[in-house]
Amino acid sequence: MTGSLTIVGLGPGSPELMTPAASSALCQATDLVGYATYLARVPIVEGQTRHASDNRVELDRARHALALASEGRRVVVVSSGDPGVFAMAAAVFEAIESGEAAWRALDVRVEPGVTAMLAAAALAGAPLGGDFCAISLSDNLKSWDTIERRLQAAATADFVIALYNPASQSRPHQLTRTFELLRQWKAGSTIVLFVRAAGSTDARLNITTLAEASAAAADMRTMVIIGSSTTRLITREGAIPSVYTPRSEISRP
Amino acid sequence: MTGSLTIVGLGPGSPELMTPAASSALCQATDLVGYATYLARVPIVEGQTRHASDNRVELDRARHALALASEGRRVVVVSSGDPGVFAMAAAVFEAIESGEAAWRALDVRVEPGVTAMLAAAALAGAPLGGDFCAISLSDNLKSWDTIERRLQAAATADFVIALYNPASQSRPHQLTRTFELLRQWKAGSTIVLFVRAAGSTDARLNITTLAEASAAAADMRTMVIIGSSTTRLITREGAIPSVYTPRSEISRP
């Protein structure tokens, strides 16, 4: 048996948002490797071995998966959302590059998925309708200076900004600082969305403005989306308002 | 019967990348509205009415869909990729805002999907592993100055850059100009990916550098991804190379 490794994105939460390609890869695996919380979302297949870990040590998890694949196993590394967006795919390629030469000959594939910002945007309307940036606020793996430089670039060039990992118990201050910075460059009336558990049945949307936005509204399961200068709110009868960024940035008479 | 309107993303091409939620919405519709090429990807359901159009007149298409929904139909607007990313969702909300008051009371939903850049990235490895921007190079709906300003911001703040709509027959020069501009701010050795028909069975990956990149390699079905300064290429035995952006941007001794 020739081993293989597929890095699969489960989507943002609901099984209804997982692609058939991801489901199929999960069914065919001999071994699943991943953070225990994500493995718990995968239906049990008889005879399959599960290797659960905590949500740190991503590189160790990647190496473990590669070692299993090189023993001839059909391994799936389980990621949330899309595996290529602030998730496990980059860790696997890092492990390949720094690891055993034989790992470079393995059949390695990435199965894309619906990343959290797309599900968050869909719940609100179409806030990502214009050019946009995705920035992780975690400074575990990059300097805070780099993050500030990117926030400034994104704000001054008027991108819509999607923030991944906006806050955690060990990092409560980054999001407060982010809002302070953005207020220097963007109008206080700029629309800000907090979407918790996007793509799950318990998803929750909170619409506010940059002037009013408070970091206390976010936790580890929250996506924060900050509008561009053209992002708009439509009040809707009998429903929560919709937020969208018009396709056109050309003023018409 | 109460009408509804759901804007659905089919994903980038293969039916294996369409979510079950999107499939379910398509099955339950009484009316499908969309660009003929996308409607052709949707399995026929008996009794369903299809309203096919060309790929322009997005706002007209949106208004037609809203009018049908307000007559009590269960309407699905069909989009490629994710409907919120350079696709139909923003057009529908524009039509709601500028349209009949009754349209604001309709049940309007967006079903997210796998957008082209995620499928393109998955084919190459994990090039979107760091902070990234998505920019549409079409200047039909925004000024070229706005696009240049965003390219400069994205390049100088060292984002990975995903370019949607990089070229079409009526716009052959934008991508050439984009590469010229980016060479002012980014190293010639920066990795550039051209991914044609990402997420389809006939997907094709072309890996080059910014110094060598030519606009002739792109057409309407191509995604262009331009690496950050840390994006790397791994040569792999018996396979095309993998491209990834490491999670860490902190130099380690």
Side-chain angles (χ1 to χ4, degrees):
Chain A
M1 186 169 108
T2 308
S4 66
L5 191 153
T6 306
I7 310 137
V8 159
L10 299 182
S14 159
E16 291 294 296
L17 294 178
M18 192 193 310
T19 67
S23 298
S24 169
L26 289 165
C27 282
Q28 289 163 29
T30 59
D31 294 76
L32 302 184
V33 174
Y35 173 35
T37 304
Y38 300 150
L39 286 185
R41 287 169 48 192
V42 179
I44 299 285
V45 172
E46 197 151 349
Q48 217 171 42
T49 309
R50 290 175 174 233
H51 309 265
S53 61
D54 69 17
N55 68 345
R56 275 163 254 202
V57 295
E58 288 174 338
L59 209 52
D60 289 349
R61 211 185 301 162
R63 289 188 183 117
H64 183 207
L66 287 158
L68 288 167
S70 67
E71 291 165 10
R73 315 286 295 172
R74 275 195 310 281
V75 183
V76 164
V77 172
V78 176
S79 209
S80 180
D82 177 275
V85 176
F86 307 120
M88 279 300 296
V92 169
F93 288 104
E94 276 172 59
I96 291 172
E97 192 176 23
S98 64
E100 296 178 21
W103 290 355
R104 297 193 180 212
L106 286 170
D107 177 11
V108 176
R109 287 162 204 263
V110 179
E111 277 300 340
V114 174
T115 184
M117 83 181 149
L118 301 182
L123 187 67
L128 303 178
D131 298 326
F132 61 91
C133 295
I135 301 175
S136 168
L137 282 196
S138 169
D139 58 355
N140 291 337
L141 294 162
K142 63 192 168 197
S143 71
W144 181 252
D145 279 354
T146 297
I147 296 173
E148 288 205 357
R149 186 160 58 102
R150 290 188 183 149
L151 288 168
Q152 178 167 13
T156 56
D158 205 21
F159 283 95
V160 178
I161 304 171
L163 299 177
Y164 281 77
N165 308 312
S168 76
Q169 288 192 314
S170 61
R171 298 182 295 101
H173 306 302
Q174 279 88 336
L175 187 57
T176 300
R177 175 72 181 141
T178 295
F179 289 140
E180 280 169 15
L181 285 168
L182 292 179
R183 285 183 197 115
Q184 297 178 25
W185 305 303
K186 293 174 77 78
S189 58
T190 303
I191 293 173
V192 174
L193 306 172
F194 294 86
V195 188
R196 187 164 193 283
S200 303
T201 49
D202 57 343
R204 206 172 58 209
L205 169 65
N206 174 354
I207 305 174
T208 184
T209 62
L210 184 55
E212 299 286 335
S214 158
D219 66 8
M220 278 173 66
R221 294 188 67 199
T222 307
M223 279 290 315
V224 179
I225 298 179
I226 296 138
S228 73
S229 66
T230 62
T231 303
R232 302 174 60 77
L233 187 141
I234 313 178
T235 54
R236 290 180 52 217
E237 202 181 302
I240 53 168
S242 296
V243 173
Y244 82 103
T245 303
R247 300 161 308 145
S248 176
E249 299 185 50
I250 296 171
S251 311
R252 298 192 194 280
Chain B
M1 185 168 112
T2 309
S4 66
L5 191 154
T6 307
I7 311 137
V8 159
L10 299 182
S14 160
E16 291 293 296
L17 294 178
M18 192 194 309
T19 67
S23 298
S24 169
L26 289 165
C27 281
Q28 288 163 28
T30 60
D31 294 74
L32 302 184
V33 174
Y35 173 36
T37 304
Y38 301 150
L39 286 184
R41 286 169 48 192
V42 179
I44 301 285
V45 172
E46 197 152 348
Q48 217 170 42
T49 309
R50 291 176 173 229
H51 309 265
S53 62
D54 70 17
N55 68 345
R56 275 163 254 201
V57 295
E58 289 174 338
L59 210 51
D60 289 348
R61 210 185 303 162
R63 289 187 183 118
H64 183 208
L66 286 157
L68 288 166
S70 67
E71 291 165 11
R73 315 285 296 171
R74 275 195 309 281
V75 183
V76 164
V77 173
V78 176
S79 208
S80 179
D82 177 274
V85 176
F86 308 119
M88 278 300 295
V92 169
F93 288 103
E94 275 173 60
I96 292 172
E97 193 177 22
S98 64
E100 297 177 20
W103 291 355
R104 295 191 182 214
L106 286 170
D107 177 12
V108 176
R109 288 161 203 264
V110 180
E111 276 301 340
V114 174
T115 183
M117 85 181 146
L118 301 182
L123 187 67
L128 302 178
D131 299 327
F132 62 91
C133 295
I135 301 174
S136 168
L137 282 196
S138 169
D139 58 356
N140 291 337
L141 294 162
K142 63 192 167 193
S143 72
W144 181 252
D145 278 354
T146 298
I147 297 173
E148 288 206 357
R149 186 161 57 104
R150 290 188 183 148
L151 288 169
Q152 177 166 12
T156 55
D158 205 21
F159 283 95
V160 178
I161 303 170
L163 300 177
Y164 281 76
N165 309 313
S168 76
Q169 288 191 315
S170 60
R171 298 182 296 99
H173 305 302
Q174 280 87 334
L175 187 57
T176 300
R177 174 71 181 144
T178 296
F179 288 141
E180 279 170 16
L181 285 167
L182 293 179
R183 286 183 196 114
Q184 297 177 25
W185 305 303
K186 294 175 75 79
S189 57
T190 302
I191 293 172
V192 175
L193 306 173
F194 293 86
V195 188
R196 188 164 193 283
S200 302
T201 48
D202 56 342
R204 206 173 58 209
L205 169 65
N206 174 354
I207 306 173
T208 183
T209 62
L210 184 55
E212 300 286 336
S214 158
D219 67 9
M220 278 174 66
R221 295 188 68 200
T222 307
M223 281 289 316
V224 179
I225 299 179
I226 295 139
S228 73
S229 66
T230 61
T231 303
R232 301 173 60 77
L233 188 142
I234 313 177
T235 54
R236 291 180 51 216
E237 202 182 301
I240 53 168
S242 295
V243 173
Y244 81 104
T245 303
R247 300 161 307 146
S248 177
E249 300 186 50
I250 296 170
S251 310
R252 298 192 194 281

